[in-house]
Amino acid sequence: MATYAYRCPDCGPFEVRLPIGTAEAVTDCPGCRSAARRVFTAPSLARLSPATSAAFTREEQSRETPEVVTRVPAERRWRTPQHPALSRLPRP
């Protein structure tokens, strides 16, 4: 569902929630039933934290130009578990 803004010449602005793409250019005002024209507004965009914004930017860049790997990464060593019962678990 999307929120569409309309302006009635008599009552003023109002909003209507409709499925995306179904809003008409002119609709009836809910107050006085006169013709109200659709008003185009900027979408409601939330500001992101710098870390989240940077993560989105890296993700978008990797879609277009992925990082090329030229060698197999070095093996990572597993950390020894601190609890003795954990040392008996199978390792992947």
Side-chain angles (χ1 to χ4, degrees):
M1 296 292 274
T3 303
Y4 295 97
Y6 289 89
R7 180 177 302 278
C8 173
D10 300 326
C11 302
F14 64 94
E15 294 180 343
V16 179
R17 290 184 55 83
L18 297 168
I20 293 176
T22 60
E24 296 182 18
V26 178
T27 190
D28 292 337
C29 172
C32 65
R33 298 288 179 210
S34 64
R37 297 189 65 77
R38 183 171 167 196
V39 179
F40 291 94
T41 58
S44 154
L45 301 174
R47 292 189 52 88
L48 301 174
S49 70
T52 305
S53 178
F56 282 145
T57 302
R58 282 192 310 273
E59 189 269 334
E60 288 174 0
Q61 289 172 348
S62 70
R63 270 190 243 156
E64 300 297 322
T65 55
E67 185 178 332
V68 177
V69 179
T70 57
R71 61 184 165 84
V72 176
E75 267 189 56
R76 292 188 179 167
R77 304 192 99 198
W78 292 96
R79 232 180 50 184
T80 307
Q82 301 298 324
H83 194 278
L86 297 176
S87 65
R88 295 190 297 264
L89 293 174
R91 295 189 188 267

